[in-house]
């Protein structure tokens, strides 16, 4: 495919810097934005905008979606004025949102009936990763489409893995989110044990950084916990949503993941007490008794 | 202190290569061994051996202990023929076993009444780390003694941290063990979620290695899980013992660490079903339903 124009839907914290990186790589962009304020940062750039996802998709070869949750993606892809109703056969939707793997498979099938292709390509790495074009991208879908999308994805991420067929990217992302949340919880338990034993958690972190207990979470989020620095980063409310997706998949698959149940309860408590806008490392605030 | 001779007690999987590394660094060693078979590997080396810990300590400047559990250390240090009854004032005991922080503080005080110094210096890194002289060493005790012991410890480890006063090394080790066990459990849950979703866990591991979900456990023990390779390594039975120490400290300190409770139950089940000699990554076998 000779990519002429990329449509972009979802210009939030993540989508905005991603769009900037695509423009920097000389892709022609076009937007559909539910809120016109989202277009403000692009005022000085020569970008076309359209009034519906269907119209946008009609004028593009690829549409990238970067939205908050499953219902948003369903609406934009298959709603009344959705991509489904405008895109030409051969159009490729790359959904980089974090949504349900089951819904992803269902949407891919629905689009497929109209000759529209789809990749799921959720990301990890947060706002900074998006700005730096250094996201981890976990891709599900057909081999040929992955190959086609790769040059575009390489403008956005540094670590791009084709995990498997439709939904596999979302499954990998769910795995990412349950690992990250549980590692945060484990680090917080270690710090609590240290503190309650009269030992400096910062020294414990130093001691553990070089060994088998090392994780990026110990390094980055462990530091956040020590510094009481919970400005996001990645919001607890979104992490809560993501674990909901993982636990829904677990139920559908008939498996039990009790460690995930435990940290999902922590995130629920964070959201319920009005702290959902904190970084998800605030899991530590539950364990340390700072949120009750 | 001009160190003439180092006494070594505990020549198991860890102690043996540690002794070899000290000899390679030209320290004069002397041994007390409960089983004479432990001395077999040193037959060709000019090492003195003594019949009791007391006698050994009397002839050494430093004694290093590398034993299995709290009661062994208590017996060797303070038992009838223990170090306490032979060591001269100014003798330094470096206990590199993994034992209770509370008991460590109590033993350090008891030795102190006889003018004998003590450091707790438990390690992480396993048999390979001991062979390579690349252990992580977590040290508790007085500043001056840490400085004195450092040249000796540097023959054994690569990442040596003075965590705090007596017992602080053991607290750090307990933190290490609860982090390692919980990260294993989280990795296994991620692999289970992937497998049950029809996605290759190996691909998920690839996708997660470069991002925030990265941990040494995902890298090393995640590979073990994928390869079904549970030859130790570090035995589940010992990890179970170590979490017992952590949970005992938690109870003493009046704190709750439910993530640790969960993985301690897994390790208990591994031991109860006669699988305690497997590597502790066998936590995955519980989560994946391979040990019931």
């Amino acid at each position: 495919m000779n990519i002429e124009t990329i449509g972009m839907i979802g210009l939030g914290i993540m989508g905005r810097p991603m769009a900037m990186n695509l423009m920097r790589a000389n892709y022609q962009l076009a937007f559909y934005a539910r809120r016109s304020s989202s277009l403000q940062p692009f005022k000085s750039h020569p970008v076309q905008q359209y009034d519906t996802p269907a119209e946008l998709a009609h004028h593009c070869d690829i549409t990238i979606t970067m939205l908050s949750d499953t219902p948003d993606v369903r609406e934009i892809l298959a709603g009344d004025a959705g991509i489904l109703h405008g895109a030409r056969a051969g159009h490729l939707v790359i959904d980089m949102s974090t949504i349900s793997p089951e819904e992803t498979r269902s949407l891919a099938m629905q689009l497929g009936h109209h000759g529209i292709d789809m990749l799921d390509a959720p990301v990890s790495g947060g706002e900074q990763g998006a700005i730096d074009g250094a996201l981890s991208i976990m891709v599900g879908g057909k081999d040929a489409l992955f190959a086609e999308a790769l040059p575009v994805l390489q403008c956005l991420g540094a670590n791009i893995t084709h995990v498997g067929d439709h939904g596999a990217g979302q499954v990998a992302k769910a795995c990412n989110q349950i690992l990250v949340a549980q590692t945060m919880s484990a680090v917080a338990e270690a710090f609590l044990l240290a503190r309650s034993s009269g030992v400096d958690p910062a020294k414990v972190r130093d001691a553990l950084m070089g060994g088998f207990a090392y994780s990026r979470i110990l390094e980055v989020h462990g530091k956040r916990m020590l510094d009481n620095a919970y400005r996001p980063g990645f919001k607890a409310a979104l992490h809560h949503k993501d674990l909901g997706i993982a636990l829904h998949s677990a139920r559908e698959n008939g498996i039990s993941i009790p460690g995930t149940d435990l940290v999902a309860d922590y995130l629920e408590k964070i959201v319920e007490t009005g702290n959902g806008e904190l970084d998800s490392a605030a899991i530590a605030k539950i364990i340390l008794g700072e949120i009750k």
Side-chain angles (χ1 to χ4, degrees), chain A:
Chain A
M1 190 198 287
N2 182 14
I3 300 162
E4 300 274 334
T5 308
I6 299 176
M8 185 87 202
I9 303 178
L11 295 169
I13 289 178
M14 298 295 287
R16 190 165 53 238
M18 290 164 67
M20 291 292 184
N21 282 328
L22 290 171
M23 288 195 291
R24 218 165 279 135
N26 293 317
Y27 284 107
Q28 179 71 40
L29 291 199
F31 295 144
Y32 161 75
R34 289 172 293 182
R35 287 183 303 276
S36 62
S37 61
S38 306
L39 295 170
Q40 194 60 40
F42 299 94
K43 273 279 184 277
S44 62
H45 296 82
V47 281
Q48 185 70 44
Q49 51 172 305
Y50 295 97
D51 289 339
T52 66
E55 277 184 65
L56 174 74
H58 185 72
H59 293 91
C60 297
D61 309 295
I62 288 182
T63 310
I64 292 176
T65 50
M66 190 58 172
L67 302 160
S68 295
D69 204 351
T70 307
D72 307 283
V73 174
R74 194 191 301 122
E75 177 66 22
I76 292 290
L77 266 57
D80 284 344
I83 289 174
L84 196 58
H85 302 293
R88 291 161 293 179
H91 186 89
L92 172 62
V93 174
I94 308 178
D95 178 34
M96 305 190 75
S97 324
T98 295
I99 68 165
S100 148
E102 296 80 21
E103 186 76 14
T104 293
R105 285 187 209 108
S106 158
L107 284 166
M109 187 175 295
Q110 210 177 331
L111 292 174
H113 290 146
H114 294 73
I116 302 165
D117 294 315
M118 182 171 169
L119 291 172
D120 48 305
V123 307
S124 157
E127 182 180 7
Q128 197 57 52
I131 292 168
D132 299 341
L135 295 165
S136 285
I137 310 181
M138 298 152 254
V139 188
K142 302 275 171 275
D143 287 343
L145 296 174
F146 176 74
E148 195 173 286
L150 194 55
V152 175
L153 297 178
Q154 280 167 338
C155 303
L156 305 173
N159 178 33
I160 304 164
T161 310
H162 186 202
V163 183
D165 208 343
H166 294 304
Q170 296 295 353
V171 169
K173 178 65 188 281
C175 291
N176 188 81
Q177 295 306 73
I178 70 177
L179 247 181
V180 164
Q182 290 188 69
T183 311
M184 283 179 184
S185 166
V187 168
E189 286 196 2
F191 287 177
L192 174 61
L193 181 61
R195 205 175 67 175
S196 69
S197 303
V199 173
D200 182 358
K203 286 282 188 185
V204 168
R205 177 172 165 278
D206 289 347
L208 269 44
M209 283 286 287
F212 273 130
Y214 174 80
S215 63
R216 284 276 288 155
I217 296 299
L218 178 66
E219 185 174 357
V220 177
H221 300 80
K223 189 74 171 61
R224 276 181 175 277
M225 295 173 198
L226 293 174
D227 296 344
N228 202 24
Y230 295 108
R231 202 175 67 87
F234 180 68
K235 289 178 185 174
L238 286 173
H239 209 153
H240 178 243
K241 177 212 73 164
D242 291 356
L243 293 200
I245 290 170
L247 288 171
H248 181 264
S249 289
R251 274 193 304 276
E252 293 278 307
N253 301 348
I255 61 161
S256 166
I257 44 176
T260 304
D261 288 327
L262 185 64
V263 290
D265 285 349
Y266 294 154
L267 286 164
E268 179 140 322
K269 201 167 182 183
I270 292 172
V271 172
E272 273 176 3
T273 53
N275 291 291
E277 299 295 299
L278 296 180
D279 188 84
S280 76
I283 284 174
K285 291 175 84 73
I286 299 283
I287 291 167
L288 297 169
E290 294 166 8
I291 295 177
K292 289 196 171 89

